[in-house]
């Protein structure tokens, strides 16, 4: 049951073989106390189990706040004792989403109502990003920035990011149906090289990505139609044949000298089995 599955269970048993104890753990025991045992051994076992549960809870909480990729990096460095600053160049797809007219919407709401609405909004959209193997890099007000890296067992980053974006827009059709006017989201996806690494001071760092590809992803989101998904040419080039898309030419992105072409994506072909 969900309400009891995280409660640790210590089995008291006279069966002292390693095979027996492995079977007890496989059956759901957190630890085993073999009889006869001393009170001190019982106390030590209980304290160890409780410490392990506290560590598991901390890891879950830390992953929620830091993001999966950043947490794994921090954990690996803590275990190895490595505190050096690292950075690497990698090819990724970056997704930006933003609520249309959020500033105006929030101005008519109480602060706690804004927080409640955003948390509900992120709870709906966040899992759709993770389902496609993306990592939420950060929340910026009402915006989501997510990074999709190449993973051998999954589709290319551009495909997964676009699938996530389409799923997010589909989910918005059922989000807060009572609200008038309905919330609408713009989503942009860009694919390019970035630098992933440590950024910050000695007191406060974050694992993030920076570079022109990130800035352009944000610009494509701003250029996307309300309720739509716009991807860059570099992203579109990685999408499979049969993608239903409309080119929008001559888009002037902020900070970019030459006009670009964006693609409004309506649908992708079914995922290959």
């Amino acid at each position: 049951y969900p309400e009891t599955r995280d409660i640790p269970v210590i089995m008291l048993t006279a069966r002292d073989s390693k095979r027996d104890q492995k079977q007890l753990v496989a059956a759901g025991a957190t630890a085993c106390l073999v009889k006869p045992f001393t009170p001190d051994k019982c106390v030590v076992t209980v304290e160890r189990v409780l410490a392990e549960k506290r560590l598991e809870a901390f890891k879950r909480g830390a992953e929620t706040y830091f993001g999966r990729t950043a947490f794994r990096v921090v954990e690996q460095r803590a275990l190895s004792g490595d505190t050096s600053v690292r950075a690497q160049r990698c090819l990724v797809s970056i997704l930006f989403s933003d609520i249309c007219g959020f500033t105006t919407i929030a101005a008519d709401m109480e602060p706690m109502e804004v927080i409640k609405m955003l948390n509900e909004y992120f709870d709906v959209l966040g899992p759709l990003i993770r389902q496609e193997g993306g990592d939420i890099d950060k929340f910026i007000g009402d915006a989501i920035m997510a990074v999709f890296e190449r993973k051998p067992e999954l589709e290319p980053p551009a495909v997964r990011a676009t699938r996530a974006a389409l799923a997010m827009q589909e989910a918005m059709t059922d989000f807060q149906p009572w609200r008038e006017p309905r919330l609408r989201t713009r989503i942009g996806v860009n694919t390019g090289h970035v630098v992933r690494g440590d950024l910050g001071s000695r007191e406060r760092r974050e694992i993030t990505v920076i570079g022109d590809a990130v800035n352009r992803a944000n610009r494509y989101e701003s250029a996307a139609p309300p309720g739509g998904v716009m991807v860059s040419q570099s992203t579109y080039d990685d999408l499979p044949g049969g993608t239903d898309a409309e080119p929008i030419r001559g888009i002037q992105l902020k900070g970019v000298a030459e006009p670009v072409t964006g693609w409004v994506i309506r649908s992708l072909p079914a995922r290959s089995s």
Side-chain angles (χ1 to χ4, degrees):
Y1 297 99
E3 61 271 18
T4 59
R5 65 186 175 192
D6 290 331
I7 298 175
V9 176
I10 300 175
M11 300 287 287
L12 309 180
T13 177
R15 304 172 68 174
D16 59 355
S17 72
K18 290 184 178 180
R19 180 171 178 273
D20 289 333
Q21 292 184 38
K22 285 182 178 179
Q23 289 178 337
L24 291 172
V25 171
T30 309
C32 299
L33 263 177
V34 179
K35 297 185 287 186
F37 54 84
T38 64
D40 286 346
K41 186 173 182 180
C42 179
V43 170
V44 169
T45 301
V46 171
E47 288 179 342
R48 176 176 60 81
V49 168
L50 292 177
E52 290 172 352
K53 296 303 290 186
R54 286 194 293 270
L55 180 59
E56 288 176 10
F58 171 78
K59 287 182 176 181
R60 288 195 298 270
E63 185 177 293
T64 299
Y65 281 96
F66 300 148
R68 292 181 177 182
T69 299
F71 178 76
R72 284 196 299 270
V73 171
V74 172
E75 184 178 38
Q76 290 168 0
R77 294 189 186 180
L79 292 173
S80 66
D82 182 5
T83 59
S84 61
V85 175
R86 294 184 180 180
Q88 63 178 354
R89 188 171 182 265
C90 52
L91 181 67
V92 301
S93 290
I94 302 148
L95 178 153
F96 266 94
S97 72
D98 202 16
I99 297 175
C100 303
F102 176 74
T103 302
T104 302
I105 294 170
D108 294 330
M109 300 172 64
E110 293 295 326
M112 291 304 296
E113 292 178 328
V114 175
I115 292 296
K116 181 176 183 296
M117 181 192 73
L118 285 178
N119 284 339
E120 290 174 352
Y121 172 76
F122 293 143
D123 278 342
V124 170
L125 301 191
L128 301 176
I129 293 170
R130 290 192 169 183
Q131 284 174 15
E132 294 295 339
D135 188 45
I136 296 175
D137 187 88
K138 59 174 64 71
F139 298 107
I140 311 168
D142 60 306
I144 302 173
M145 173 183 165
V147 180
F148 293 77
E149 298 184 84
R150 188 169 298 280
K151 298 182 179 180
E153 69 280 9
L154 299 177
E155 293 178 299
V159 180
R160 288 159 33 226
T162 305
R163 285 198 192 282
L166 292 171
M168 291 163 70
Q169 291 293 21
E170 184 177 352
M172 287 301 295
T173 61
D174 296 324
F175 181 71
Q176 294 188 340
W178 47 265
R179 180 178 293 278
E180 290 294 341
R182 295 289 296 275
L183 294 182
R184 304 186 77 187
T185 298
R186 291 186 179 92
I187 301 179
V189 179
N190 183 39
T191 300
H193 283 94
V194 299
V195 175
R196 175 183 282 282
D198 295 4
L199 184 67
S201 68
R202 293 188 181 90
E203 292 78 23
R204 172 70 168 86
R205 289 186 193 173
E206 63 177 337
I207 309 296
T208 188
V209 295
I210 59 173
D212 182 61
V214 178
N215 299 333
R216 290 195 179 219
N218 191 11
R219 303 294 186 260
Y220 279 104
E221 174 268 303
S222 298
V229 175
M230 177 176 284
V231 307
S232 64
Q233 184 69 51
S234 59
T235 301
Y236 180 78
D237 289 343
D238 282 348
L239 299 183
T243 296
D244 184 1
E246 176 188 355
I248 307 295
R249 296 182 173 85
I251 299 173
Q252 192 66 58
L253 300 182
K254 182 180 179 182
V256 178
E258 297 297 325
V260 300
T261 297
W263 292 81
V264 177
I265 307 298
R266 298 190 183 94
S267 66
L268 289 176
R271 198 188 310 268
S272 57
S273 56

